[in-house]
Amino acid sequence: MMSDQCTSIILQDDDQKLEYTQVDRPQLKPGEVLVEILCCTICGSDLHTFEGTRSTPCPTILGHEMVGRVVDMHPEYTVKDFLERPVELGDRITWSVAVSCKKCEFCKRGLTQKCKQLFKYGHQRLDEQNYLSGGLASHCHLVEGTTIFKVPESLPDLIASPANCATATVMAAFRLAGDIQDKTVLILGAGMLGVTASAVAHAKNADKILVTDIDPERVRRSLEFGARHALLGKKEQPLHQEILHLTEGRGVDLVFDMTGAPDVIESGLEALAIGGAMILVGSVYPARPVQLSAETIVRRLLRIEGIHNYVDLDLANALNFLERFQNQYPFSRLCEQVFPLSEIKAAFEESAHRRSYRVAVLPEPAS
């Protein structure tokens, strides 16, 4: 029998003040679902909020990369997943980080992640109606309208958990990029997003994949995810010059920036071939303006686009990709540090080290 109490870690303000709290099990309205958290991985935005470099409405429960098991539903309402299958007690699921109204002008334009009434797990200010909206808790309360995805049985929690942020965001970036078969791709940054992007580019039959990072270990690791050339940043030779040399002066067709660093972005622009495109993914924190030549953009027929969060289809594609390619690329080695919920500060400390792509938090003590 399930307890009437749930546990949560509440961030009272964006200054590392975490409060371990016991709360009553919520009473569900039609269309709502209560999920027991099986695994929550700490995303970069969680870390930045915890460290105070990214603001979010408080009090809140951080954590939006999560997998859980359905433990309670309203008895008089049938909830269906993305594929229109009934959601049942015991199902292992994940869900879209954002819930949209489907009616406002942004939703009608297909920009559901910018809904005027957006509800965002792991970033939501807690209130009396929903006080379990993040992954750093024993349970998560899914509001009506949440897009739910059943997690494939073959996909372990530690691989599936990052899907509803990291992997889905990468899939959104590739959706913008279009067909990349036989194209040369440059990925700026070899963190979780970067190595995932390398694997996706490789699986989509890109001709050449170049990955760069300032961390030698992450540069080396990118080779295991399909990169042909792994480039260490901060050398005497400018990055774009090295890339032009590797591409015999032609440049690259696509650049995916996962860093948000203006100098890295500028070098990536210099490396673009005529007709090339840059997809900006990592610029989600304050930084100086990027310097670019509008004339160069025009004369070289370049395209620059940004992607923030994702739409439901991207998460579906993320789960499909991970299920299909989890054994071809070493995704299981990207999340090797596991902490119990009671040691959340230690989990954040480990997450701050670049040696960890993802750190997992489990509701039960790690074995």
Side-chain angles (χ1 to χ4, degrees):
M1 183 175 180
M2 191 172 73
S3 171
D4 289 334
Q5 293 285 302
C6 301
T7 302
S8 63
I9 303 293
I10 297 177
L11 180 70
Q12 294 292 355
D13 55 49
D14 51 5
D15 192 25
Q16 299 183 325
K17 294 181 180 179
L18 297 172
E19 182 179 300
Y20 193 90
T21 307
Q22 292 285 330
V23 295
D24 292 334
R25 174 181 169 181
Q27 298 298 310
L28 301 181
K29 298 177 182 178
E32 297 181 343
V33 177
L34 186 64
V35 180
E36 178 188 14
I37 299 297
L38 299 176
C39 178
C40 177
T41 44
I42 297 177
C43 175
S45 63
D46 296 322
L47 178 62
H48 295 154
T49 301
F50 173 71
E51 293 178 335
T53 57
R54 181 185 186 278
S55 62
T56 198
C58 290
T60 193
I61 300 173
L62 296 175
H64 52 275
E65 291 186 344
M66 45 192 162
V67 171
R69 193 174 304 281
V70 176
V71 293
D72 197 11
M73 303 171 66
H74 195 279
E76 301 175 0
Y77 192 96
T78 300
V79 176
K80 295 185 178 180
D81 73 352
F82 179 74
L83 297 177
E84 292 295 316
R85 299 172 298 185
V87 176
E88 300 175 345
L89 294 177
D91 283 346
R92 189 168 65 112
I93 65 170
T94 189
W95 51 96
S96 179
V97 68
V99 184
S100 59
C101 72
K102 309 294 192 297
K103 299 177 181 178
C104 71
E105 61 176 294
F106 291 120
C107 287
K108 289 179 179 178
R109 291 166 53 192
L111 302 174
T112 53
Q113 71 269 52
K114 293 300 174 183
C115 173
K116 289 186 175 182
Q117 301 180 49
L118 196 69
F119 183 99
K120 200 171 181 183
Y121 292 101
H123 301 277
Q124 195 73 23
R125 183 181 179 87
L126 304 182
D127 57 34
E128 293 182 357
Q129 283 70 46
N130 195 299
Y131 47 84
L132 286 170
S133 58
L136 297 181
S138 62
H139 296 78
C140 189
H141 179 184
L142 305 192
V143 301
E144 183 181 8
T146 300
T147 306
I148 292 172
F149 300 79
K150 295 188 181 186
V151 178
E153 290 185 9
S154 68
L155 208 54
D157 291 343
L158 293 180
I159 296 178
S161 190
N164 72 0
C165 183
T167 321
T169 300
V170 169
M171 300 310 288
F174 277 84
R175 172 170 51 82
L176 285 188
D179 184 14
I180 69 164
Q181 183 169 339
D182 298 327
K183 292 185 178 180
T184 301
V185 175
L186 169 63
I187 299 166
L188 305 175
M192 188 74 180
L193 292 172
V195 295
T196 301
S198 181
V200 173
H202 188 260
K204 288 181 175 289
N205 298 313
D207 180 36
K208 293 181 181 178
I209 304 167
L210 302 88
V211 180
T212 182
D213 198 284
I214 60 174
D215 186 319
E217 173 58 26
R218 290 194 168 187
V219 165
R220 185 199 64 77
R221 180 68 67 87
S222 69
L223 294 172
E224 300 174 12
F225 286 82
R228 178 183 294 187
H229 299 288
L231 311 174
L232 186 63
K234 292 190 173 180
K235 291 183 178 179
E236 292 183 4
Q237 183 182 24
L239 174 64
H240 63 274
Q241 290 186 9
E242 186 173 4
I243 291 169
L244 289 173
H245 173 72
L246 290 172
T247 58
E248 299 178 345
R250 179 183 177 277
V252 299
D253 300 300
L254 284 163
V255 175
F256 293 91
D257 176 66
M258 310 302 188
T259 70
D263 56 334
V264 176
I265 294 171
E266 290 162 1
S267 199
L269 283 169
E270 292 282 349
L272 276 173
I274 291 175
M278 170 176 273
I279 311 297
L280 299 175
V281 183
S283 299
V284 291
Y285 57 87
R288 70 166 176 83
V290 173
Q291 302 294 315
L292 57 83
S293 165
E295 181 185 7
T296 298
I297 303 298
V298 170
R299 292 188 180 279
R300 297 182 64 80
L301 305 174
L302 303 182
R303 176 168 60 94
I304 303 174
E305 290 195 56
I307 185 67
H308 185 230
N309 296 331
Y310 56 85
V311 298
D312 293 342
L313 178 62
D314 299 317
L315 180 49
N317 289 335
L319 289 168
N320 288 338
F321 174 80
L322 290 174
E323 180 184 24
R324 183 178 177 186
F325 293 103
Q326 61 175 309
N327 297 318
Q328 183 170 336
Y329 309 101
F331 283 102
S332 61
R333 294 174 56 195
L334 296 180
C335 185
E336 296 180 314
Q337 300 295 322
V338 177
F339 292 82
L341 190 60
S342 59
E343 296 180 15
I344 186 59
K345 288 190 176 180
F348 273 115
E349 289 172 1
E350 177 61 33
S351 182
H353 294 296
R354 287 183 61 85
R355 64 175 176 261
S356 299
Y357 289 82
R358 279 296 186 270
V359 171
V361 178
L362 307 183
E364 298 297 326
S367 58

